[in-house]
Amino acid sequence: MSDVRRLVLAFDIGGTTIKAAAYDAALRPLAGARRPSPRGPAVVDALAGLAEEVLAALPPDRREDVVAAGAVALGLVDEARGVMRRAVNLDVTDLEVAGPLSRLLGVPTVLGHDVEQAAIAEVEASPTEVRQPFVVVIGTGIAAATFVDGAPLRGVSGQAGELGHVVVRPDGRRCPCGAVGCLETVASAAAIARDYSERTGTAVTGASDVLRRLGTDPVADEVWAEATSALADALVMVCTLLAPGEIVLGGGLAEAGDALVEPVRTTMLERSYVATVPPIRASVLGSRAGLVGAAGLALRTIGAR
Ligand SMILES: [Zn+2]
């Protein structure tokens, strides 16, 4: 098959939704599907169902062009074995993902960590090449990746980048991790929606509902300001320790664009004494970064990128 016809299937296993799509070698999507994330081993059944949906949505003459698959997952991932080691939000422990998908699809299949692959995708999609970018992914939770010499830093444990569990409000709310005042108890998309709902008694489904009310609803303004302030505090720590060349704000929340970037930048400049605040921008890929990252991982595995 010629290189231009090659397709890969990509899967993004998140805490709320599992997304799937077929991509060509230029990372253009051809067909996609999504469903709510189930709990436990049913995750594999959901992946199989999504694979069938995406294949069915492809033009019949393109189904045979799928040559590899890539999946990314939250939590701890064993890439070498293709196993989700632990994902608390999904009640998953030691779940084989790459093996069953590969047997189902009949193509090489790889599993990677969602934030790492999303960050790689963001850096590859960047309009300019930056030394040592720091990529934050803000969705249901918050995590980050720092790049050193072009590769994300993993740390000895493989757990580097847990920015969401840096304590920024010690008198704040208890985090499911056990600590009090973690960044993601204030600034994740889930926390923003929850805080607004609690203070107004109006149930909102996501941070985008709060975003829409900015400028007209003082409670929305207050919740948003608390979130961007906490994010700025955490990022000042990051800059003090790592001096990144650029900060990229990604994940679903970054679709807010300047409404997110500007208050974070302004607050960082106010509170930064030792650290230099580098350029800050919203991501190019937004909530698609995980899926694009999974596709990129699959393409690299077969040597197509
Ligand atoms: Zn925590």
Side-chain angles (χ1 to χ4, degrees), residues 97-299:
V97 170
L101 262 184
S102 179
R103 286 190 287 279
L104 175 80
L105 297 167
V107 296
T109 302
V110 276
L111 177 70
H113 185 257
D114 58 354
V115 172
E116 178 174 291
Q117 297 305 325
I120 291 171
E122 275 303 341
V123 170
E124 287 185 349
S126 170
T128 52
E129 195 171 321
V130 175
R131 274 184 63 209
Q132 211 178 309
F134 186 84
V135 183
V136 188
V137 178
I138 310 168
T140 311
I142 300 177
T146 190
F147 285 76
V148 179
D149 297 330
L153 184 73
R154 289 182 168 180
V156 173
S157 64
Q159 276 183 277
E162 291 283 6
L163 186 69
H165 298 287
V166 167
V167 172
V168 289
R169 298 291 179 263
D171 55 352
R173 184 186 287 263
R174 186 168 295 280
C175 177
C177 80
V180 173
C182 292
L183 176 63
E184 68 179 43
T185 67
V186 190
S188 68
I192 290 168
R194 179 207 61 213
D195 284 353
Y196 182 85
S197 296
E198 280 184 6
R199 287 179 207 183
T200 58
T202 305
V204 293
T205 51
S208 55
D209 292 330
V210 179
L211 182 69
R212 259 197 299 282
R213 292 170 164 87
L214 293 183
T216 56
D217 177 341
V219 180
D221 289 345
E222 178 183 275
V223 168
W224 192 259
E226 286 171 21
T228 55
S229 168
L231 195 55
D233 281 338
L235 289 172
V236 167
M237 289 183 216
V238 167
C239 292
T240 310
L241 276 175
L242 299 172
E246 178 185 50
I247 292 172
V248 182
L249 302 179
L253 200 67
E255 287 165 13
D258 284 349
L260 177 67
V261 171
E262 289 311 322
V264 168
R265 186 204 321 273
T266 306
T267 310
M268 284 181 73
L269 289 168
E270 284 166 11
R271 296 179 187 168
S272 193
Y273 293 93
V274 175
T276 301
V277 177
I280 306 171
R281 67 172 173 89
S283 83
V284 176
L285 300 172
S287 57
R288 292 177 295 127
L291 213 44
V292 176
L297 178 63
L299 288 165

Side-chain angles (χ1 to χ4, degrees), residues 13 73-77 84-88 113-114 158 162:
I13 306 165
L74 76 173
L76 295 179
V77 168
M84 286 176 69
R85 274 174 52 209
R86 190 157 167 260
V88 179
H113 185 257
D114 58 354
E162 291 283 6

